Structure formats: structure tokens, C-alpha cells
């Protein structure tokens, strides 16, 4: 099999100009990974993963879904098969992921950092497993070693308000150079219909905030106290995962408060869809005003239809790879929420991510309604997310942003990953970005000025995010 043209130094770079833009202006820049799900404990302990299955397959829903599509038995995916056997089944699946981004990511991650330049398949799986297992025991392949290898300047983890952030504090006091900063993710505080699990969570939040949560005001007070705590440890970003933006509804605050207090007492009968929406709107608006006060940026990941397969949810639990793109209506609710905060000039820097590509124009154009003086693209149409962080999805997101906003002010790519090997996604994005600009130059759509265009590319890859977040 001829593989010389695949994953060479000029992968995805179709012209000499694209190659120049990438190698001169993008390739060597540090990475600001402002949204990830990396476990801070593993970074604090400078963990070495025991083998490639441990670091690569555990928790990777992308790979799990591909293996299921290939008919692999669940015991080799989330079950009790050995790590070696799980990797064997993944390797047998890889050749059949052709044209899926997993085919690119798999081989990019094997090439860098492991140095494997072949094509993974069932025949060479055991050799790859053995060689990578040896490498993963060395200091260069520890969690901190990998972050340094990929030139990661900052990692934003995803953390619950009730987390103690002990790992972040310990890392900050160490001599490790990469900044590991928390991000505030208060989703659990909004789960009004969560029953006993919700009440248990609020008890935990009460304890860490040292506030007895008995009504709406005390819930907001507890969240505000935790925002201050996060801020003191370097947090400058929040994140929220929503199916869609909540509607304010017609429920008044007194009624919402009454039902919330009933929920605290164990009575869930008053929780309707409208009440939950109004409650979520009220709490989100309250924490968002606090973000503005602290100078944070807030992120909203919107549009997933989660846990579709109920039979598998009962067997495996939630968030095990059975999510998909939702077809919600976002425009009116998104506009109402941003307007609510902007009306009193309390709208923080905001990044909105959509999961349905049909909504690209909605989100890109909505961002333009609420920009702020003195901040380049205060409201950002965020990078292609989840199912869309592949070549076609990234290009469509950047095309929509270019057509309806300023791509020159775009804060670029993130990993949104739990894997320390996912930094190939930044390389993937940077190569595509450079190729897009080079193609426009060749078509005569933008001036042939590599130095000027190169500066814009450098800004998108690194400098815009550095300025936007103010780390």
C-alpha cells in the first residue's frame, strides 16, 4: 500500500503557499486549550498510563461509536475484555473508518507522539500495543510530558462548582510550566427535575459554599461564593451544556421560588417544563451577571440530543456514546437570553457553540447583535463542536463566521477532549485554516500577501485567544 502522500509534512496543504503559511505562521505556535475535559488529578500526579487502551480508548465516545457501527461486541468497548483485546478490536476497526475523521486522528496521534508512521490494522495491532506500552512508561509520555511535548501553554479543565480544586492549587504551586486552570460548569445546579440526586447535590454545594440553600437567593449566593473561589485560583471561563437556551416564560420569581423550596423539601410535583425553563433562565442570568462582574468569558454548548438509546442507558449508564445532533429551535431563546443581560450592560464575553450545522448562520449572525466596545468579537461563534470538529464541519463553521462576522478575530480551536493525545486536533485545524486562506489567494479572493495573511492566521491559532481570555 502506497502511503507516502498520507500524513507527510504537507498533509492537507494542497499548494506551496498553504505549506508556507502553515510552516511559517502556525505550526510552531503554543496551544491555548481553553476548553477540555482533561482530569486535573492525572496532571497533578504526572500520571503514566499503563497502555494505549488506557490513554486512548477509555472514555472515547468517538471510537466507541465507530466500533459499535462495525459490529464489535460491547465487551470489547466498555466491557470486561482485556486492554490488549480491546485495542485489537479497535485496530481491526480502523481501516474501515476511512473518510471518518477518526482515520486521520488515529494515525496523526500514532505518528505524533509515538513515531508510528504506518497504517494501524488488525495485523500490526499487537506490535503497536507492545511498543506504545513501553513508551508510555517513560517520563516523556507522562501527562505533564505530553502537554510539554505538544507545546500546550494553557489547559482549561471542566469543573463543578462543588469541586475543591485541590489539584489545580497543587499544580499552580509546582514548577510545571503549563497553566492548568479551572472552568466553572454549574449544570448540576439547574437540574430542578433531578429528584433525590438533585437534593443530594445541593447539600454538597451548601457544604462547600458554607451557605444553607433554602431558596433561590441562597442558591445564587452559594454559586456566587464558588465563582469567587474559582476566580482566586485563576478561573476566567465558565461553561454550560444545554439542549437549548431556556425561555423566561410567564412564571414569576415568587412562584419559581415556591416550587424550588418545595423541591428542597422533597416535593417534585410542581416541576413542569415551563417552571424548569423559568428556573434555569433565572439562575443562568444570575451567574452570568457575576461572570460579567469578574471579567470572565462564558461558554454555551448547545444542541445535543443526549442518551437516545434507553436500553443501553440502563445497561451502561448515561454519557456512554449514544448522543446525537438535535434539531431544536434556538434563535428566539438565544436572542432573549443575550438581550436580558445586555439590556443592563451585564453581558459577559460569550462563546456560543452549536451542534447542528443547519444552525451555523443563526449562531454566526446572532453573535453580531451583541458585540461590545473595546473587545474584539466579544461574542464569539465558537469553533466546530463534537460531531462537527472534522474538515467539513470546521470549514462550514469558518465560512459562516467569515461571511457574517470577522474570522480575523476568531479565537480558534480547542480539544473538548479527555485524552492527552488529542492535540492533533489543533494541528488538524491549523492545517485546514492555512489551506483555506491559500485557496482564497489562488482564486484572487484575497491579496497575495503571505506576511499579512500569516499574521491573521497566527492570531486565529493563538494570539486572539490569549488576548480574549486575558490569561
Amino acid at each position: 500500500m502506497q502511503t507516502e502522500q498520507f500524513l507527510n509534512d504537507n498533509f492537507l496543504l494542497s499548494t506551496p503557499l498553504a505549506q508556507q503559511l502553515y510552516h511559517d505562521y502556525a505550526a510552531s505556535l503554543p496551544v491555548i486549550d481553553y476548553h477540555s475535559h482533561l482530569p486535573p488529578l492525572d496532571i497533578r500526579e504526572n500520571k503514566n498510563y499503563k497502555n494505549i487502551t488506557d490513554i486512548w480508548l477509555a472514555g472515547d465516545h468517538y471510537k466507541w461509536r465507530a466500533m459499535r457501527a462495525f459490529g464489535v461486541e460491547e465487551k470489547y468497548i466498555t466491557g470486561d475484555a482485556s486492554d490488549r483485546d480491546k485495542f485489537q478490536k479497535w485496530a481491526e476497526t480502523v481501516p474501515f473508518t476511512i473518510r471518518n475523521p477518526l482515520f486521520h486522528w488515529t494515525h496523526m496521534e500514532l505518528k505524533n507522539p509515538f513515531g508510528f508512521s504506518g497504517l494501524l490494522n488488525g495485523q500490526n495491532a499487537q506490535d503497536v500495543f507492545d511498543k506504545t506500552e513501553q513508551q508510555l512508561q517513560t517520563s516523556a509520555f507522562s501527562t505533564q510530558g505530553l502537554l510539554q511535548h505538544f507545546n500546550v501553554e494553557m489547559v482549561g479543565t471542566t469543573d463543578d462548582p462543588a469541586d475543591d480544586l485541590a489539584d489545580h492549587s497543587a499544580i499552580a504551586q509546582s514548577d510545571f510550566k503549563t497553566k492548568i486552570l479551572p472552568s466553572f460548569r454549574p449544570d448540576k445546579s439547574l437540574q430542578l427535575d433531578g429528584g433525590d440526586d438533585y437534593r443530594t447535590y445541593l447539600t454538597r454545594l451548601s457544604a462547600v459554599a458554607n451557605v444553607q440553600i433554602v431558596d433561590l437567593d441562597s442558591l445564587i449566593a452559594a454559586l456566587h461564593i464558588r465563582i469567587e473561589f474559582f476566580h482566586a485560583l485563576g478561573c476566567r471561563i465558565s461553561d454550560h451544556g444545554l439542549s437549548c437556551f431556556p425561555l423566561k416564560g410567564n412564571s414569576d420569581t415568587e412562584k419559581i421560588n415556591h416550587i424550588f423550596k418545595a423541591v428542597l423539601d422533597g416535593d417534585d410535583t410542581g416541576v413542569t417544563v415551563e417552571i424548569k425553563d423559568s428556573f434555569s433562565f433565572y439562575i443562568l442570568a444570575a451567574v452570568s451577571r457575576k461572570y460579567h462582574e469578574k471579567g470572565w468569558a462564558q461558554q454555551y454548548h448547545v444542541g445535543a440530543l443526549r442518551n437516545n438509546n434507553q436500553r443501553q442507558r440502563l445497561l451502561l449508564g448515561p454519557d456512554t456514546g449514544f448522543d446525537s445532533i438535535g434539531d431544536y429551535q434556538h434563535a428566539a431563546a438565544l436572542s432573549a437570553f443575550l438581550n436580558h443581560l445586555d439590556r443592563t450592560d451585564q453581558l459577559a464575553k460569550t462563546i456560543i457553540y452549536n451542534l447542528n450545522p443547519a444552525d451555523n448562520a443563526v449562531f454566526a449572525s446572532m453573535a453580531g447583535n451583541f458585540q461590545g466596545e473595546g473587545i474584539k468579537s466579544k461574542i464569539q461563534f465558537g469553533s466546530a463542536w463534537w460531531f462537527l470538529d472534522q474538515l467539513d464541519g470546521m470549514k462550514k463553521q469558518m465560512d459562516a463566521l467569515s461571511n457574517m462576522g470577522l474570522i480575523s478575530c476568531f479565537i480558534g480551536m480547542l480539544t473538548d477532549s479527555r485524552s492527552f493525545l488529542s492535540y492533533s486536533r489543533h494541528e488538524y485545524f491549523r492545517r485546514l485554516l492555512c489551506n483555506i486562506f491559500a485557496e482564497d489567494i489562488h482564486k484572487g479572493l484575497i491579496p497575495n500577501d503571505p506576511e499579512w495573511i500569516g499574521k491573521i492566521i497566527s492570531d486565529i491559532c493563538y494570539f486572539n485567544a490569549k488576548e480574549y481570555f486575558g490569561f
Side-chain angles (χ1 to χ4, degrees), residues 446-466:
I446 58 178
N448 187 358
D449 187 338
E451 184 175 353
W452 173 37
I453 300 302
K455 176 60 168 64
I456 291 174
I457 287 170
S458 296
D459 287 344
I460 295 170
C461 293
Y462 172 71
F463 292 103
N464 286 344
K466 191 175 183 72

Side-chain angles (χ1 to χ4, degrees), residues 290-436:
K290 188 68 172 179
Y291 304 153
H292 177 267
E293 175 190 319
K294 304 303 293 184
W296 287 15
Q298 57 182 351
Q299 300 177 98
Y300 291 93
H301 288 84
V302 184
L305 185 62
R306 297 180 185 272
N307 302 309
N308 292 271
N309 190 320
Q310 292 303 305
R311 178 175 62 85
Q312 292 289 15
R313 181 176 183 174
L314 290 174
L315 289 171
L316 305 175
D319 305 319
T320 48
F322 299 95
D323 307 322
S324 58
I325 295 170
D327 57 353
Y328 307 97
Q329 296 293 311
H330 295 297
L334 174 55
S335 175
F337 183 74
L338 297 178
N339 255 313
H340 181 77
L341 296 167
D342 187 71
R343 188 175 57 212
T344 55
D345 196 20
Q346 291 176 295
L347 176 59
K349 290 179 287 188
T350 303
I351 311 164
I352 48 177
Y353 307 85
N354 64 292
L355 194 54
N356 192 329
D359 296 321
N360 281 352
V362 170
F363 279 61
S365 62
M366 186 66 70
N369 296 328
F370 298 97
Q371 300 298 356
E373 294 181 10
I375 304 173
K376 293 180 181 177
S377 291
K378 173 184 174 180
I379 313 301
Q380 291 269 339
F381 175 33
S383 63
W385 169 48
W386 200 343
F387 292 104
L388 305 183
D389 63 350
Q390 26 77 4
L391 295 178
D392 182 63
M394 288 191 289
K395 185 176 187 303
K396 286 180 177 176
Q397 183 270 341
M398 286 190 279
D399 284 344
L401 174 57
S402 299
N403 287 326
M404 300 177 192
L406 298 179
I407 195 170
S408 58
C409 298
F410 182 33
I411 57 174
M413 192 54 175
L414 43 84
T415 63
D416 193 24
S417 174
R418 292 165 178 80
S419 172
F420 288 86
L421 300 178
S422 290
Y423 287 98
S424 60
R425 294 184 192 178
H426 282 263
E427 178 185 344
Y428 204 53
F429 169 85
R430 291 175 180 187
R431 288 176 179 271
L432 173 64
L433 176 70
C434 292
N435 202 63
I436 289 172

Side-chain angles (χ1 to χ4, degrees), residues 39-148:
L41 176 61
D42 290 359
I43 302 172
R44 175 184 181 177
E45 295 180 342
N46 199 18
K47 177 178 177 177
N48 284 89
Y49 289 87
K50 60 185 179 180
N51 55 50
I52 194 167
T53 299
D54 190 26
I55 193 172
W56 217 27
L57 296 180
D60 191 331
H61 299 172
Y62 291 87
K63 295 185 179 71
W64 293 358
R65 289 170 66 92
M67 294 170 77
R68 289 174 183 138
F70 193 55
V72 174
E73 296 172 69
E74 193 66 34
K75 70 176 183 178
Y76 297 108
I77 302 171
T78 61
D80 59 1
S82 69
D83 285 353
R84 184 177 289 274
D85 288 345
K86 286 180 177 179
F87 183 74
Q88 177 69 39
K89 290 298 184 180
W90 167 242
E92 292 171 3
T93 303
V94 167
F96 297 90
T97 65
I98 195 77
R99 297 202 80 238
N100 185 292
L102 281 167
F103 189 79
H104 287 162
W105 295 343
T106 294
H107 293 103
M108 290 176 76
E109 291 171 23
L110 285 174
K111 184 176 181 180
N112 182 21
F114 294 106
F116 175 80
S117 57
L119 296 178
L120 181 64
N121 54 50
Q123 287 69 48
N124 60 21
Q126 296 306 305
D127 184 50
V128 172
F129 187 92
D130 290 337
K131 289 180 178 177
T132 55
E133 185 176 36
Q134 294 175 12
Q135 291 172 291
L136 284 166
Q137 306 318 306
T138 66
S139 60
F141 285 81
S142 68
T143 54
Q144 293 185 16
L146 287 168
L147 291 173
Q148 290 175 323

Side-chain angles (χ1 to χ4, degrees), residues 160-213:
D160 187 88
D163 291 346
D164 63 12
L165 304 185
D167 298 320
H168 297 84
S169 180
I171 295 167
Q173 295 173 49
S174 73
D175 58 2
F176 185 49
K177 301 302 182 186
T178 302
K179 290 183 179 180
I180 311 299
L181 301 180
S183 300
F184 190 79
R185 177 85 175 237
D187 292 2
K188 290 182 181 179
S189 68
L190 304 178
Q191 303 305 312
L192 188 62
D193 56 353
D196 289 339
D197 288 343
Y198 184 56
R199 285 181 278 274
T200 299
Y201 173 75
L202 292 183
T203 299
R204 181 180 170 218
L205 181 60
S206 290
V208 297
N210 197 27
V211 171
Q212 187 64 34
I213 297 176

